[in-house]
């Protein structure tokens, strides 16, 4: 085989390997960025809903009202996920019995003060 052709084939293969390397790097970079964004979103999700839940189960009425307000605000965002909807439904489902228990406890406390 002619040395000129051999050099051309080696150069072509090197260029193809370089292009493949760039494509793989770009794809991997996009995947890593997407994963980082997901982890950031997940961490913020946890912080927001932890804040809401901690206040929703508080004995302080003002804390519970703040939790209800924040939960409603969170549910109006464009990035609401199925997880957000599930947390909201669980808070709603558990709100009635918890409210009844608190009301009963507050009535007992009022009776004790009289």
């Amino acid at each position: 085989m002619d040395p000129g052709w051999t050099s051309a084939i080696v150069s072509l293969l090197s260029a193809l390997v370089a292009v493949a390397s760039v494509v793989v790097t770009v794809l991997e970079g996009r995947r890593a960025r997407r994963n980082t964004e997901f982890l950031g979103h997940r961490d913020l999700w946890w912080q927001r809903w932890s804040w809401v839940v901690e206040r929703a189960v508080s004995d302080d009425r003002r804390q519970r009202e703040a939790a209800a307000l924040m939960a409603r605000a969170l549910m109006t965002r464009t990035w609401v996920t199925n997880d957000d909807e599930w947390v909201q439904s669980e808070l709603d489902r558990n709100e009635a019995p918890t409210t009844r228990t608190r009301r009963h406890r507050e009535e007992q406390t009022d009776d004790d003060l009289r």
Side-chain angles (χ1 to χ4, degrees):
M1 198 171 188
D2 182 19
W5 280 104
T6 304
S7 296
I9 291 173
V10 168
S11 295
L12 180 63
L13 288 176
S14 298
L16 290 175
V17 168
V19 168
S21 163
V22 168
V23 169
V24 168
T25 301
V26 167
L27 293 176
E28 181 61 22
R30 290 181 66 195
R31 187 200 62 76
R33 184 183 50 124
R34 201 169 30 250
N35 190 39
T36 301
E37 287 175 358
F38 172 77
L39 291 174
H41 173 76
R42 192 74 180 162
D43 184 50
L44 290 174
W45 178 92
W46 181 255
Q47 289 175 13
R48 289 179 187 114
W49 282 109
S50 294
W51 187 94
V52 169
V53 171
E54 285 172 6
R55 281 151 186 81
V57 298
S58 172
D59 289 333
D60 181 6
R61 181 182 55 81
R62 290 177 53 195
Q63 293 284 329
R64 292 190 308 270
E65 289 172 357
L69 181 64
M70 183 63 167
R72 280 194 298 274
L74 285 173
M75 294 307 292
T76 63
R77 304 294 79 184
T78 58
W79 37 256
V80 169
T81 65
N82 291 338
D83 291 336
D84 296 317
E85 292 171 0
W86 179 83
V87 170
Q88 181 64 47
S89 69
E90 289 300 306
L91 284 172
D92 290 343
R93 189 173 65 84
N94 290 311
E95 182 180 16
T98 306
T99 303
R100 266 195 309 271
T101 303
R102 280 198 193 96
R103 199 173 301 127
H104 179 69
R105 192 178 326 138
E106 289 169 359
E107 289 169 1
Q108 284 180 336
T109 304
D110 289 343
D111 290 342
D112 292 343
L113 292 175
R114 290 182 196 152

